[in-house]
Amino acid sequence: MSTGREPDGPGTPGPDAAPQEGRRLHPITPWRRAWAPIAALVVFSVQDYQRTRAWVEELTLGWLALAFAVVVPLAAGYGFVSWWVTHYAVTDTELRIRTGVLFRRVAHIRLDRIQAVDVSRPLLARVAGVAKLKLDVVGTNEKDELAFLGEADAVALRAELLARAAGIAPDAAPEAGEAPERVLLRVPPGMLTVALLLMGSGWGFLAALVVVPGFLWWASGSPAAALAAAVPMVGGAWMATVGRYLSEYDWKVAESPDGVRVDHGLLNREHATVPPGRVQAVRISEPLLWRRRGWVRVELAVAGNGGDTLLLPVAERAVAARVLATVLPGVDVAAAVAAARPVVRRARFAVPVWWHGYAHGVTDAVFVTRHGRLRHVLELVPHAKVQSVRRTQGPWERRLGLADVHVDHGANGSVVARLRDAEEAEAVVVAQAERSRTGRRTARPERWLT
């Protein structure tokens, strides 16, 4: 299978070849590249700290001024040269990105392999009126990016790439413009604040931050040990509370012909698109303290993303079900919940406390599992996305007549129906294999704007 990036090779350019130079990035980009010589100087200083310290102690004001006069122009010159040699061009079949000062690299990104084009606006970039364009390509683990482009240029290029990937004629693609959208949901800041306050992870980090460093200081008498334990806890508490709030602020989900669009962020504004047909599984989480309010969190497993994609940080159950019906047409969350059947009673001998949280079911559209007592988690896998089905049975499960059913999907993950009756598990494997074959024959196409 060919990948999204293809190496530059000899030969005569085809009729769809773009001009050799192509287009350059925004003129502010050299300042982004200027950090490399400074970073090299820092690394050198850290590796030989004693010698660096001796040099610094011997420096006079004149030498410092001279060093400043050399390093800054060197960094600025490197940034300018790297910007000058970087070009990108869009042809009828691919996006070409040429980079490299000493070693040239040419990325050939086939348009029909592009599965997501996201626009990112970090805080300083928003101030400067520029944005990053990130490209997610089938068959690659890392995203290519164009940083930076003017905001208007980034949006226009994104629309052109999606239009060409959808098969629109090359002459018409630049004029196609951004596809219209219909807003499905906007998370109010107050709702997000309350949801984060009711999450246990942030409070857990804060409690550990109060107890653990103090205990280590008392037990060892070493402030360094206490500080070493406190630093990662402060980071965890920040990421679970303030960091998450900054990232999930003003969360908006919209429907468009090129997929479901997600915009979010207070300081760094992110724009992502969930490609049509690429969703492999859905995870709906319901923390304990959200249950009375009827709130849930929804994550998606998307092929090629290398991890879960957050669709809804918090939403009411009915609203989340309506959004999911757009992402996965034909999937009824209420029917999936009703289809889940609990495990047999003898499963309590395998998992004494948590056994009652496990359940499994099947609807016409999805394979369903449920687990968790304090935090309820419902997982759905469309039948057409199932790659393999397997049955596993440990020695204790074998003695109890139980087995687990694993359903592997296209995002390199799996969903497990645990502690099923052994005979039932065998029947589930056979039936699910047949449902998956039927689902793939009737699946919708995985193309943009179709």
Side-chain angles (χ1 to χ4, degrees):
M1 183 181 69
S2 61
T3 61
R5 296 191 193 94
E6 296 177 0
D8 195 22
T12 303
D16 64 335
Q20 181 74 11
E21 289 298 309
R23 292 178 261 181
R24 285 196 175 93
L25 303 176
H26 194 276
I28 203 174
T29 305
W31 295 103
R32 173 181 181 254
R33 306 285 177 82
W35 64 269
I38 299 175
L41 184 61
V42 171
V43 171
F44 173 77
S45 301
V46 171
Q47 287 180 343
D48 198 346
Y49 175 74
Q50 295 299 333
R51 180 179 297 181
T52 303
R53 181 180 177 181
W55 285 352
V56 171
E57 290 175 349
E58 295 174 2
L59 285 177
T60 63
L61 183 60
W63 281 109
L64 285 173
L66 180 61
F68 185 80
V70 171
V71 171
V72 171
L74 180 64
Y78 175 84
F80 176 80
V81 171
S82 71
W83 168 76
W84 184 261
V85 300
T86 299
H87 307 89
Y88 68 95
V90 183
T91 73
D92 292 354
T93 59
E94 66 183 15
L95 169 67
R96 297 177 186 169
I97 305 175
R98 301 174 182 270
T99 58
V101 177
L102 299 179
F103 302 96
R104 299 292 288 165
R105 173 182 179 271
V106 182
H108 295 255
I109 303 173
R110 286 171 42 188
L111 299 180
D112 60 352
R113 307 291 288 175
I114 293 176
Q115 64 179 18
V117 183
D118 302 334
V119 177
S120 174
R121 299 177 178 89
L123 178 60
L124 294 180
R126 291 168 65 187
V127 173
V130 296
K132 291 181 183 180
L133 202 69
K134 298 180 180 180
L135 302 119
D136 198 356
V137 184
V138 176
T140 61
N141 295 323
E142 297 181 359
K143 292 186 178 182
D144 272 298
E145 69 174 27
L146 292 172
F148 289 95
L149 301 171
E151 286 195 30
D153 294 336
V155 173
L157 180 58
R158 176 187 179 277
E160 180 182 352
L161 291 174
L162 294 184
R164 294 200 183 196
I168 295 178
D171 294 339
E175 287 75 35
E178 187 83 339
E181 67 178 29
R182 180 174 67 90
V183 176
L184 301 175
L185 170 72
R186 204 158 205 150
V187 178
M191 184 179 189
L192 179 61
T193 302
V194 174
L196 292 178
L197 290 175
L198 295 178
M199 290 283 288
S201 55
W203 293 109
F205 276 113
L206 290 174
L209 182 60
V210 171
V211 175
V212 175
F215 174 77
L216 288 176
W217 196 346
W218 172 80
S220 65
S222 171
L227 182 62
V231 169
M233 292 179 186
V234 170
W238 172 272
M239 293 304 298
T241 54
V242 180
R244 179 174 285 185
Y245 181 85
L246 295 176
S247 174
E248 298 175 359
Y249 179 84
D250 191 26
W251 194 280
K252 184 186 77 171
V253 180
E255 177 188 21
S256 73
D258 53 22
V260 175
R261 297 176 182 170
V262 178
D263 291 88
H264 60 95
L266 179 59
L267 301 180
N268 297 345
R269 194 69 183 165
E270 298 282 344
H271 172 98
T273 303
V274 179
R278 304 296 296 176
V279 177
Q280 306 294 307
V282 177
R283 180 183 295 109
I284 304 173
S285 305
E286 191 178 25
L288 176 64
L289 298 180
W290 288 14
R291 214 167 294 163
R292 290 186 60 186
R293 295 174 178 267
W295 293 352
V296 296
R297 179 180 178 90
V298 181
E299 297 170 296
L300 306 176
V302 181
N305 271 18
D308 291 335
T309 298
L310 181 61
L311 178 66
L312 298 173
V314 58
E316 297 176 352
R317 290 193 194 96
V319 175
R322 287 198 297 270
V323 174
L324 277 175
T326 302
V327 177
L328 292 173
V331 174
D332 186 341
V333 176
V337 173
R341 296 288 180 266
V343 298
V344 293
R345 289 189 58 82
R346 65 178 179 276
R348 67 185 185 275
F349 298 112
V351 184
V353 177
W354 305 103
W355 68 277
H356 196 60
Y358 292 106
H360 157 70
V362 174
T363 71
D364 293 339
V366 293
F367 180 91
V368 184
T369 68
R370 190 187 72 211
H371 60 87
R373 293 297 302 272
L374 298 180
R375 181 188 182 94
H376 291 171
V377 178
L378 184 74
E379 295 182 288
L380 315 175
V381 181
H383 297 314
K385 306 303 181 183
V386 175
Q387 302 295 310
S388 63
V389 189
R390 50 199 169 88
R391 172 180 175 272
T392 62
Q393 192 178 41
W396 186 240
E397 286 181 319
R398 192 178 304 119
R399 183 176 180 85
L400 294 173
L402 303 173
D404 300 336
V405 177
H406 298 253
V407 169
D408 303 314
H409 53 71
N412 296 324
S414 64
V415 170
V416 184
R418 290 208 60 198
L419 306 179
R420 310 309 300 180
D421 179 80
E423 293 184 1
E424 176 198 356
E426 187 65 34
V428 167
V429 169
V430 175
Q432 185 59 46
E434 180 58 34
R435 279 190 293 266
S436 300
R437 283 192 291 268
T438 304
R440 283 191 289 272
R441 286 197 297 266
T442 59
R444 301 175 67 193
E446 295 181 0
R447 282 185 63 88
W448 298 103
L449 304 171
T450 54

